Amino acid sequence: MGQRHQLFIIARINGRYRLLCAIHHQWLYGHTALRRCLDVLNILEHSTNRLPIQQELIAASKKNDDFWLPPEERHNKNENVPFPFIMTCLITGASFNVDGYYHGVSVEPFYMAFNEGDNNNGITIFDITDLDHVRYCFVDYYGMESDREVELMTPLSARIYLEAYYVLDGSDERTEKIGLIPLLEKFHGRDLVTIIALKETWPHGEWQKDGCIFEEDDLNYADSTATAIAGPSVGNEQTEQSETKSLRDHSMNNLMDQILDPGKDNSDLIAEVEVLNDFLPKLRRRLYDQAATLQPTTSFVSLLHKALEQDIEVDLSVFKNFDVDDLSMLVAKLRGGKMRVLNLSNMPEFNEPDLQLILGTHQASSEQSEITDPTSKVATGAARDLSTIILLETPKISIDFLTEHLGHYDLYHSDLFRRPMYTEGPGDDAYYGRRTPLQALQFASANTVSQLAWVGIPSRQSCDSKLRLEDGHFDWSNLKYSIEASSRFSGDEGLKFKNFLLDVPSPAAKTIHSLRRLMQYLTSGKIGWLEDWPKAAARCFATTSTLEDGVSYSVGPFSTTLYRDDDQEDYVQSGKGLHLKTGQWAIILVHEAFDARDQESLDKRELEMVSMFGPRGSEELKQWPAEEKEPNFKPLKRLRYALAKALPESSTKPFLITDVPGYVEHVLGSKGGDAVKVDQLKEWWMKQNSDATGSGYYEDDDMHKILHKIYLDEATRNASASRPRPIDPFEDIMRMMMIAQRQDG
């Protein structure tokens, strides 16, 4: 049951199209399929995702032909996710939008056939060969459950796919209601995946071109169009296709040859010509073009530093002849420039001592020396400016090493991306979602915020005057707590509670942006099923905003504890035995009347309850002035947050409680960090929340009582906890139907 759909990402690798990843979506069709397609396109084209995607395309180019063959037994191959960053991009765009959309997806093998999935609403395909020009298409391969038929086995545009479900001439009232025409306009100028690409990826399919079957022999002319399809070569910047053959160009090329001659000292010549506007850009391009053959010398390292010192993203993975000492010297020089992102991917022999040497952390103690803290002024050079390290396809660097030494950085490591979606097991275990047990990563020693806690107060308790104090605050000592309801996030009886280890590296700025996105999602009013919010929270902490525009399609690793939150015992468990250690921070979210659709529905609920227990009826109560209402409070549907830090036992209170501006001052200002950055983050937060409704800081004194409920009563709650009930398949079906009704109704 469902509106089933699969999504694929392909690319031209070593002269032939290959499938890189695939997912299954249980409820995707019509305009929702277009919206998810558009989100995936935006993610794949976003500038911050380009370098990691390129690194996985490079890794793909190093695979032999046998790698791409399906195994004899399905799921026996332990590499269902060989390109986890690209898979994360696909999962994020297809399953989540901060405006209130979430629907789970499942990982499929990267060698999946286009028609191998359970499907009744077509497939979506993305071609990332050219990251400046990502292509898309929809395909119906045997007949969709739509109002109108479309041509089978051929690339379909967004308009043609949409017209299978809706009439776009204005006679269908849904056209304007759900904004179909503006949605289609966002696809204007985007090219479709070519029939050649589809035939190369899945050669056994009977693909149609101009109403005829596209035969394999027709691929002979593919080479003539390969350049147009392939786009820039993977890994390096593409050399300009045609430069004006002028005397100046000829002279510049001769000059480059002289400068790159290892047998000559050209320092005086370099000092003379580096003032030319086009010298450094052309030098940079030449160095990257010749990266594989360059032999490092002290002068070359200095030359490379000159060429790269204005780059925000620095890719050193292509300089294969540079040893660790050379790279260490170069990185130390670049830290004085604009470098924020350092790529050291696709280096199979690169190990942990090498990384320590390059980053200047080889003298760091096991207790996390400040030299590894990018916010610290005592770090080597301008180390605080290096914020992101990309280490894809570096198998000799372990996650445990990263958690211990580099938690203050934004980290891109293949295993960090792969572990939330990792599957193994014979038969169909992986298909049905069984996952291996995993222990949550402990980034707490280096992570600024180590936990996320959610407390949900249902409408029934929000409206109950017996659970309020005279000042209108909740009486936390009498709020009922339901163990089973809390674990399932279902029903409206009892206080809901769950906390999670944030087992991904999350520097302060990223944490703040993630919190804002999560609050935006939770107050969107479109949440279909409350138990899905941890998985949506995983997306929020993996996709962060930027200070410039507040909107971003950047992608990072999912928190495994959030992404895999479930009642089954073989999943990572959170909310059991979690304690906030001294010095650690937690984000606390208090969600009042979370199960009410909106404030109006909550007001009606209040009137019904007062009518039931009070002296007057609900109709008469509607006429009362607010100050004469009984009980003496107004229930609100709202989400409030606070940041809490566990203090030593000698403190007068167990926790320091503050808002985001206060948190920024504590974690950045207290370390002598960049005052401008502190002010920027505070200003950004205030601006983002200036017009926010239904959310804000929890500044009441009873936050200490909430924290006591979360952290100090854990043993009591666990002792009385009942075993979580098994998942009811019928309930899951009903959940999908409810979500679909809200999205498409």
Side-chain angles (χ1 to χ4, degrees), residues 8-108:
F8 304 87
I9 292 181
I10 64 175
R12 192 176 180 88
I13 306 295
N14 296 333
R16 177 180 171 179
Y17 271 92
R18 303 287 191 179
L19 175 63
L20 303 178
C21 60
I23 61 174
H24 172 87
H25 197 303
Q26 187 67 13
W27 207 287
L28 188 64
Y29 71 101
H31 74 92
T32 307
L34 266 66
R35 297 182 195 280
R36 303 288 70 77
C37 175
L38 195 63
D39 280 349
V40 174
L41 287 168
N42 287 330
I43 287 172
L44 294 174
E45 292 178 338
H46 196 265
S47 58
T48 58
N49 299 326
R50 172 183 292 267
L51 190 53
I53 292 175
Q54 287 177 333
Q55 297 311 303
E56 292 199 332
L57 291 177
I58 291 172
S61 70
K62 297 179 180 180
K63 306 294 185 183
N64 59 33
D65 289 342
D66 290 342
F67 172 84
W68 303 101
L69 298 176
E72 292 183 4
E73 285 190 43
R74 182 183 171 92
H75 307 304
N76 263 9
K77 205 169 193 177
N78 201 22
E79 288 189 309
N80 281 352
V81 190
F83 312 110
F85 180 81
I86 296 174
M87 173 66 85
T88 303
C89 291
L90 181 59
I91 289 174
T92 302
S95 65
F96 173 76
N97 185 285
V98 73
D99 290 336
Y101 178 86
Y102 171 79
H103 195 293
V105 298
S106 56
V107 172
E108 297 286 359

Side-chain angles (χ1 to χ4, degrees), residues 268-561:
D268 292 339
L269 178 60
I270 294 172
E272 183 178 340
V273 300
E274 65 180 342
V275 297
L276 299 176
N277 290 336
D278 58 344
F279 171 71
L280 287 178
K282 289 191 175 184
L283 174 63
R284 180 184 183 278
R285 184 163 56 247
R286 177 70 78 88
L287 288 170
Y288 270 105
D289 287 343
Q290 298 180 204
T293 59
L294 283 178
Q295 298 299 322
T297 63
T298 302
S299 60
F300 267 169
V301 170
S302 298
L303 197 61
L304 193 56
H305 166 242
K306 286 181 179 294
L308 301 180
E309 65 180 340
Q310 297 301 312
D311 286 9
I312 294 176
E313 292 185 346
V314 174
D315 179 10
L316 299 183
S317 65
V318 296
F319 298 97
K320 302 301 182 184
N321 294 324
F322 282 47
D323 62 21
V324 175
D325 291 330
D326 298 321
L327 293 175
S328 178
M329 183 188 308
L330 180 58
V331 170
K333 289 176 176 289
L334 289 171
R335 281 181 165 178
K338 295 184 177 181
M339 179 178 66
R340 302 293 180 269
V341 179
L342 175 61
N343 177 47
L344 298 167
S345 300
N346 285 296
M347 302 170 67
E349 299 303 317
F350 191 61
N351 58 35
E352 293 164 3
D354 293 341
L355 182 58
Q356 285 183 305
L357 184 63
I358 288 176
L359 296 178
T361 61
H362 52 288
Q363 297 177 343
S365 70
S366 60
E367 297 182 21
Q368 180 63 34
S369 168
E370 283 194 7
I371 203 168
T372 67
D373 182 353
T375 66
S376 173
K377 281 189 173 179
V378 303
T380 303
R384 69 179 186 274
D385 292 334
L386 177 60
S387 61
T388 303
I389 304 174
I390 303 176
L391 295 163
L392 300 171
E393 298 296 323
T394 52
K396 291 190 175 182
I397 297 177
S398 68
I399 291 182
D400 290 338
F401 172 82
L402 299 179
T403 62
E404 183 177 355
H405 295 284
L406 300 177
H408 278 292
Y409 292 100
D410 230 346
L411 297 174
Y412 289 65
H413 188 279
S414 297
D415 290 343
L416 270 179
F417 283 96
R418 186 178 288 116
R419 89 189 286 274
M421 59 194 75
Y422 181 73
T423 61
E424 73 172 3
D428 286 333
D429 285 353
Y431 180 80
Y432 287 108
R434 293 193 58 183
R435 302 180 174 97
T436 54
L438 292 173
Q439 296 298 317
L441 297 176
Q442 297 289 332
F443 278 94
S445 61
N447 199 8
T448 311
V449 171
S450 61
Q451 291 190 34
L452 170 67
W454 178 86
V455 180
I457 308 173
S459 301
R460 186 179 296 276
Q461 294 196 33
S462 296
C463 296
D464 192 342
S465 61
K466 298 177 182 178
L467 299 177
R468 298 279 186 151
L469 303 174
E470 291 184 0
D471 58 6
H473 291 176
F474 285 103
D475 182 358
W476 286 93
S477 61
N478 288 323
L479 281 174
K480 299 176 183 178
Y481 182 86
S482 171
I483 295 290
E484 182 172 334
S486 181
S487 67
R488 291 291 298 173
F489 293 117
S490 60
D492 62 354
E493 294 292 343
L495 184 70
K496 311 295 189 301
F497 157 76
K498 205 160 191 178
N499 63 340
F500 302 85
L501 285 175
L502 291 177
D503 56 343
V504 288
S506 187
K510 183 176 180 178
T511 298
I512 293 169
H513 295 138
S514 301
L515 172 59
R516 176 64 194 134
R517 289 173 72 80
L518 180 56
M519 294 180 69
Q520 182 181 346
Y521 172 81
L522 288 174
T523 56
S524 66
K526 301 176 184 177
I527 302 173
W529 202 258
L530 194 60
E531 66 180 2
D532 284 338
W533 87 261
K535 302 176 183 65
R539 274 76 169 171
C540 291
F541 277 86
T543 57
T544 57
S545 307
T546 60
L547 283 174
E548 289 76 21
D549 56 16
V551 176
S552 175
Y553 292 99
S554 301
V555 170
F558 295 131
S559 164
T560 304
T561 54

Side-chain angles (χ1 to χ4, degrees), residues 449 452-455 511-512 514-516 518-520 522-523 585-592 638-644 657-664 681-682 685-686 689 692 694-700 703 706-707:
V449 171
L452 170 67
W454 178 86
V455 180
T511 298
I512 293 169
S514 301
L515 172 59
R516 176 64 194 134
L518 180 56
M519 294 180 69
Q520 182 181 346
L522 288 174
T523 56
W585 287 86
I587 295 172
I588 313 298
L589 297 173
V590 181
H591 207 169
E592 298 175 41
R638 59 182 172 177
L639 176 72
R640 291 189 287 172
Y641 83 94
L643 287 124
I657 299 171
T658 186
D659 59 1
V660 163
Y663 163 76
V664 172
L681 287 171
K682 292 165 62 176
W685 179 264
M686 299 301 292
N689 290 275
S695 64
Y697 171 53
Y698 199 117
E699 54 187 340
D700 299 335
M703 175 55 74
I706 302 173
L707 291 169

Side-chain angles (χ1 to χ4, degrees), residues 557-568:
F558 295 131
S559 164
T560 304
T561 54
L562 290 167
Y563 184 87
R564 290 170 69 157
D565 174 61
D566 199 272
D567 294 329
Q568 299 180 37

